[in-house]
Amino acid sequence: MKPKQNAIRVDTKESKWHTKLLLVSAALFLTVQTYLTLAPFLVRELPVEADDAYSYIQKAEQMRTCFLQDCEALANLQEQLLAPSDQESVSAQQIRQYHRLFVIYHPLHSVLLLALGGLGFSFETAYLLLAVTTKLFLSVGIVYWLSTLFKHSVSAIAVLLLIPVVYIGTGIHTIVPSSMALALALWLWAFVIRRKHNIQAIFILLSLSMIVFHQAGKLYAGVALGLYILLNLPLMKERRQQLFVAGIGLLIGVSLLLPYLLTKPQLNFDPTSFYPFDWDLLAEIIPASAYPIDIMTTWLWAFSFPIVGALLLLVGLHGAWQQKRRAALYMAALLTLLAAVSMLYVVPWFGALFFERAWVPLAILLTGFVALGIHAAITQLPAALANLKQRNLRALYRQPILLAGATMALVAAASITYPQFYARHYGLTLHNQIDRQDFSFSQEQPQDLFSLRILPGEFVLYSHELPLYYYLTYGGLAHGAIFLPVIQGTPEEEYWLAEHAEDIRYLAALSPVPERKGIPMEGEVRISTPSTNKIIADIVQIYITSLDADARLDVRLQQGDESISLPVTIPAGFQGWLELATSVEADEILLSTNTQLRISGLRVGSEQHTYWPWQAGISMQVGLDSEVTQYDFRPSSLLPDAGFNVEVLDDEGSIILAELSAAK
């Protein structure tokens, strides 16, 4: 008789090595993810996503100086933005600006910006500090939340999978008020799971905080309440628990109703009221679902093929069901419900806008389930193979060898693309965060305008949203404001531009060269006048940014059939005004170089005190063949067909400040 063999079992106990592995993966996750948020701020002058950032920042200034939104600029802008329009492009601009300028949906974010400002920080630095602090809090919250749902060993695998992950939209890389609400939600969900029922005080504090951070916080608080009830069903008969649940429900309910009760400041608005046609929500849900479906399938495609990602997810869900991980399954149900409901909230022009915010926590959780399946395969497969080797069929029958083997095959298939997929998207996201709207603003511009130049009753005409937000932040709230994109070509144009022509004295426009680093000189640069006039100047200079190596610049003065060549050598590290020629009389000036330069200014004549030759009426073409970019430095190009004479006062940075006078 053969001796009875002992079955080889899987050790499911947590060990200190599992905790150490979780800490190591968490450290890597924090480093990689924090770098993605912090690095762009360190190489830019303006906050990341400048249009979004300054829309938030100007709300803080509103809270400080115009709490009831009754100052002159906002009164003017509200009238312009609420004017009925049958032009879809104008209506889309109206809803965008009304939401950004008037709807107060992140008051705690504004309070924190003002508090940091009170400590001596600029708005821009305060915005950076909030973003980086929130990113750290959010990243640690993700790790802690996963560790309450799964074993440390499983959580470590999940965090390793999340290290390079970026999500479509704001995700967790661009930190905005909704990110701050999510960070608080993750911690609250973790506390509910860890401590179950004895968390009333912290539940109220975190719920209230996330609600006033962003509207998404109301829904995250609802998820927390649902989780609390599900995990404490036996205790729901207690009077104390019933009162607590009712109190949190009342808090969420009041937060949902309050915006409809208060009119100033504006806490909510109806997006469909801006739509110029009949709005049929039911008809819009299906077309709008394309974007959420694309987000979900993109997540699945990271695993080589969607079917591979779906099967890995099913294996993890099966494991969670077998292990009776109630908290994880409850969270999955609640977050899936939240995502489904968010697909029903469709906004004109923006689709299922909230789905991005509902998807992030769900995607993190789904990654946890994938990690659970991988962990089960890793731990069970060796034992199953050992039992097979010993021909211990009874024990083998109890070991899911086929499932474990199939899971490892799926992992092998997913590993072909998963690292490359997210490494590529991580790099693209990092470059986008650095390069998009990498502008430069001069704070002296609005200070000079609002403290020294503008008189009571005069208006500033804004032709782009970024100058509008920036000037409102730094003194513009107290002065008349007209936003050109929502009135030009509409019946309102006559009232705002024609009837107020004598009072519209200044223009704030985005520069034709808004990039902080200037124009990349690729191919040939052709400097000329749009008219038949010659370029006549005592000196011609260009402003060059710093170079890593010596560069040669070939300058040609073209006069009819004659051409004069003037080679110029630029030393490495040079930055500033570079003299090209003196006593110039030419039809055009041609520049070419053996390396890439960046031009941040062009001076035609010693009397020019701006960076670009507005008074000389110069145009500049950069590039070759079909890749030519035209830059027009005629003042009229800043405000075409508006009936004003334009004189540029200051063009430092990305905003042009000009003085206007009504054309005769």
Side-chain angles (χ1 to χ4, degrees):
M1 177 181 285
K2 292 183 179 180
K4 184 178 180 180
Q5 295 174 324
N6 294 323
I8 299 174
R9 299 184 180 277
V10 180
D11 182 12
T12 58
K13 286 186 176 181
E14 293 277 27
S15 71
K16 61 181 182 180
W17 295 108
H18 296 153
T19 303
K20 289 181 178 179
L21 178 61
L22 177 58
L23 291 175
V24 170
S25 61
L28 291 172
F29 176 68
L30 261 66
T31 301
V32 173
Q33 286 291 332
T34 303
Y35 179 80
L36 182 59
T37 298
L38 175 62
F41 280 97
L42 299 180
V43 296
R44 294 168 54 100
E45 287 188 16
L46 302 186
V48 171
E49 301 287 349
D51 55 345
D52 291 336
Y54 279 104
S55 73
Y56 293 126
I57 289 172
Q58 65 87 21
K59 292 275 187 66
E61 180 63 12
Q62 269 192 44
M63 180 175 284
R64 188 180 74 86
T65 63
C66 187
F67 184 76
L68 295 179
Q69 300 178 320
D70 53 0
C71 49
E72 188 171 354
L74 293 184
N76 296 153
L77 291 167
Q78 188 171 46
E79 187 175 349
Q80 296 157 32
L81 296 176
L82 293 179
S85 174
D86 57 0
Q87 299 180 37
E88 189 169 357
S89 60
V90 172
S91 298
Q93 188 66 238
Q94 286 177 318
I95 187 177
R96 175 182 173 86
Q97 301 309 330
Y98 197 85
H99 180 256
R100 289 180 164 216
L101 293 172
F102 288 96
V103 184
I104 306 298
Y105 58 94
H106 47 82
L108 184 53
H109 182 263
S110 298
V111 168
L112 293 177
L113 283 177
L114 290 174
L116 290 171
L119 297 176
F121 295 104
S122 67
F123 275 133
E124 290 79 4
T125 302
Y127 193 88
L128 163 63
L129 292 174
L130 273 181
V132 174
T133 303
T134 300
K135 184 56 179 282
L136 290 170
F137 190 63
L138 173 64
S139 300
V140 176
I142 289 171
V143 176
Y144 181 55
W145 179 51
L146 287 172
S147 72
T148 63
L149 294 169
F150 307 103
K151 296 177 182 178
H152 286 179
S153 49
V154 175
S155 300
I157 296 173
V159 173
L160 287 172
L161 291 173
L162 289 170
I163 285 174
V165 167
V166 291
Y167 298 107
I168 294 175
T170 55
I172 57 174
H173 55 274
T174 303
I175 301 301
V176 291
S178 63
S179 311
M180 301 172 183
L182 176 60
L184 293 172
L186 292 169
W187 282 93
L188 178 55
W189 297 340
F191 289 147
V192 171
I193 296 166
R194 183 74 74 188
R195 300 180 62 183
K196 297 268 188 317
H197 59 277
N198 191 26
I199 57 164
Q200 283 80 3
I202 198 167
F203 198 118
I204 295 171
L205 176 63
L206 292 181
S207 294
L208 184 59
S209 298
M210 73 175 79
I211 285 171
V212 293
F213 249 134
H214 192 271
Q215 290 178 338
K218 302 171 186 178
L219 300 179
Y220 294 150
V223 170
L225 182 60
L227 182 65
Y228 182 88
I229 293 171
L230 289 172
L231 290 176
N232 297 286
L233 279 176
L235 300 177
M236 288 300 109
K237 296 179 181 179
E238 297 179 6
R239 177 73 171 171
R240 180 168 171 267
Q241 295 296 332
Q242 291 174 354
L243 290 174
F244 173 70
V245 169
I248 296 297
L250 181 62
L251 174 64
I252 297 172
V254 169
S255 72
L256 291 170
L257 289 175
L258 189 62
Y260 297 96
L261 302 176
L262 290 180
T263 56
K264 288 193 175 184
Q266 187 89 40
L267 300 180
N268 199 6
F269 78 125
D270 179 12
T272 63
S273 65
F274 288 84
Y275 197 62
F277 313 113
D278 292 333
W279 178 253
D280 187 346
L281 177 61
L282 295 179
E284 296 292 337
I285 288 175
I286 294 178
S289 65
Y291 181 56
I293 291 172
D294 181 56
I295 290 177
M296 292 184 284
T297 53
T298 298
W299 184 81
L300 290 171
W301 269 110
F303 298 95
S304 293
F305 296 98
I307 187 63
V308 174
L311 289 174
L312 281 172
L313 180 58
L314 287 174
V315 170
L317 289 168
H318 172 73
W321 183 267
Q322 280 196 324
Q323 296 177 23
K324 297 181 180 179
R325 295 204 164 273
R326 290 192 309 140
L329 293 171
Y330 287 156
M331 284 261 42
L334 290 168
L335 292 177
T336 300
L337 178 62
L338 178 63
V341 171
S342 72
M343 293 176 67
L344 303 178
Y345 178 66
V346 180
V347 178
W349 297 290
F350 297 98
L353 186 63
F354 184 72
F355 182 82
E356 287 180 10
R357 293 166 174 82
W359 168 250
V360 171
L362 178 58
I364 294 169
L365 178 60
L366 296 182
T367 303
F369 284 118
V370 170
L372 181 62
I374 294 172
H375 177 268
I378 292 173
T379 56
Q380 292 173 353
L381 191 58
L385 292 174
N387 282 317
L388 179 63
K389 184 177 181 180
Q390 295 177 9
R391 297 182 181 180
N392 188 355
L393 298 181
R394 179 175 295 181
L396 182 62
Y397 177 76
R398 295 195 299 268
Q399 299 278 358
I401 184 172
L402 292 178
L403 181 60
T407 302
M408 293 308 295
L410 291 171
V411 171
S415 65
I416 297 173
T417 62
Y418 190 91
Q420 297 92 327
F421 180 90
Y422 280 117
R424 176 175 176 272
H425 283 277
Y426 182 96
L428 290 173
T429 301
L430 179 61
H431 285 296
N432 182 67
Q433 296 282 89
I434 292 173
D435 295 335
R436 184 178 183 271
Q437 296 177 341
D438 186 15
F439 299 162
S440 174
F441 292 164
S442 170
Q443 195 169 324
E444 293 178 359
Q445 274 186 1
Q447 288 177 346
D448 174 65
L449 173 62
F450 297 124
S451 62
L452 300 176
R453 294 181 179 273
I454 197 167
L455 299 176
E458 294 182 339
F459 288 85
V460 180
L461 182 62
Y462 299 95
S463 62
H464 191 276
E465 63 182 14
L466 269 171
L468 173 65
Y469 304 155
Y470 190 72
Y471 275 43
L472 291 183
T473 300
Y474 291 105
L477 287 168
H479 302 278
I482 300 174
F483 188 55
L484 188 61
V486 299
I487 62 168
Q488 197 163 35
T490 73
E492 298 297 313
E493 183 176 3
E494 172 70 20
Y495 171 72
W496 286 104
L497 295 189
E499 295 188 21
H500 294 82
E502 296 298 325
D503 296 322
I504 301 174
R505 295 296 312 280
Y506 299 97
L507 168 70
L510 195 66
S511 171
V513 189
E515 293 79 10
R516 176 175 59 90
K517 298 176 183 178
I519 301 171
M521 183 177 168
E522 298 173 341
E524 187 177 70
V525 174
R526 185 181 299 267
I527 302 169
S528 61
T529 59
S531 64
T532 58
N533 297 331
K534 294 181 179 181
I535 300 174
I536 301 175
D538 58 344
I539 190 170
V540 175
Q541 299 171 302
I542 57 173
Y543 194 93
I544 298 291
T545 54
S546 59
L547 300 170
D548 295 331
D550 292 349
R552 175 186 171 88
L553 182 65
D554 293 321
V555 182
R556 281 189 297 137
L557 306 181
Q558 195 73 33
Q559 175 68 38
D561 296 332
E562 297 181 5
S563 178
I564 302 174
S565 295
L566 302 171
V568 178
T569 300
I570 309 173
F574 177 83
Q575 178 173 341
W577 288 104
L578 177 72
E579 182 180 303
L580 301 182
T582 57
S583 302
V584 174
E585 183 175 348
D587 294 327
E588 60 182 8
I589 302 173
L590 304 177
L591 309 177
S592 59
T593 181
N594 62 344
T595 185
Q596 188 181 83
L597 302 176
R598 284 187 173 269
I599 303 173
S600 298
L602 171 64
R603 183 174 289 164
V604 181
S606 58
E607 294 183 356
Q608 177 187 318
H609 300 295
T610 55
Y611 278 83
W612 300 103
W614 300 101
Q615 297 307 316
I618 296 292
S619 69
M620 189 164 66
Q621 291 182 339
V622 180
L624 290 172
D625 301 326
S626 61
E627 299 296 324
V628 173
T629 303
Q630 179 84 26
Y631 297 92
D632 190 348
F633 296 109
R634 291 174 298 172
S636 59
S637 68
L638 296 172
L639 199 59
D641 304 321
F644 291 94
N645 298 316
V646 181
E647 180 185 353
V648 173
L649 300 174
D650 187 343
D651 64 351
E652 182 180 358
S654 304
I655 297 177
I656 307 295
L657 174 61
E659 188 169 10
L660 302 178
S661 59
K664 302 300 183 181

